[in-house]
Amino acid sequence: MTAPITTPLITFPAKLRPVLVMEPALVPLFEMAGAPFTVLADVAWGELDAALRRAPATTLVVADPYAGLRRGDGFPRVRDLLRSFPSVPVVAALELRPEIAGDVAMLLEWGVSEVVSVGTESTPRAVAARLRQAHVRPLKRALEAALSPYVNAESRQILMAAAEVAAEGGLAAELAARLGVTARTLTVRCARAELPAPRQVQAWLRVLLACMLLDDPGRTVYGAAYASGYQTERSLRRAITAFLGVDSTTLRKAGAFSTASAAFNGALRDAREAARERRRAERR
């Protein structure tokens, strides 16, 4: 059983998706979502950075951008959060009105993952759907943008599922379950999609997740290791060296995710070429 991750400020429940709700008035709305989301409301804005440095990769932050501000102040707390922890999905909860359409567009451009409408029309199903859509959104968005155009649609579907599983600390067996197939079927499906074997896919996605976390200005190597499911900082450093051939210091200076995604595209290219060579050999 996985032990909860603990900071001096907060205990994050294991195997669940913590939702840090920054305004107490929003807590009842987001508690409606239910499992696998767990609302945590005992972190103040001044404590948020410290909490996120050790938060699991499944953590979401919910905030009312207007709380405590006058119109036109520019949402400094949300902006600073997105700059320090771009890997963390941030959900903006506000009353949607025509006059704030420009503000909503700006928040989404900054990197806010989802917007939840606060009002009488909010239902448990709608809130849960928004949280599910925000789940691991920064990683999936970055991965989608970085993938080579030669990666086919079926491969992308498998890789997006693998991104979610990586954030949740899962392995190839969990990826098969996420896709609703057996482990054997997943192996066949990966081969058909010209991907590496499922275990390799999941190992790569964990490295990519860790590298995205390493790009967070507010996160240490230690925090990135624990958030991405490595047992120790040393095990993350070993994985980086094995997969990317560089040390973590050099990697962060060069841009961790861009370096890792380039190497991953190379691994996908090798898998495509190997799959096509197998098919040519079978035809011969």
Side-chain angles (χ1 to χ4, degrees), residues 11 61 80 174 252:
T11 298
V61 175
D80 291 347
E174 285 74 23
R252 295 189 91 170

Side-chain angles (χ1 to χ4, degrees), residues 194-246:
E194 301 179 340
L195 288 174
R199 287 180 63 182
Q200 291 174 284
V201 167
Q202 209 56 62
W204 263 111
L205 263 295
R206 179 168 289 187
V207 169
L208 288 164
L209 170 63
C211 287
M212 187 184 68
L213 299 174
L214 286 171
D215 280 336
D216 282 357
R219 206 182 296 264
T220 64
V221 178
Y222 178 80
Y226 276 90
S228 53
Y230 290 94
Q231 292 298 313
T232 64
E233 181 179 332
R234 181 177 294 180
S235 61
L236 171 57
R237 292 182 186 276
R238 283 199 302 266
I240 288 170
T241 301
F243 279 82
L244 307 178
V246 297

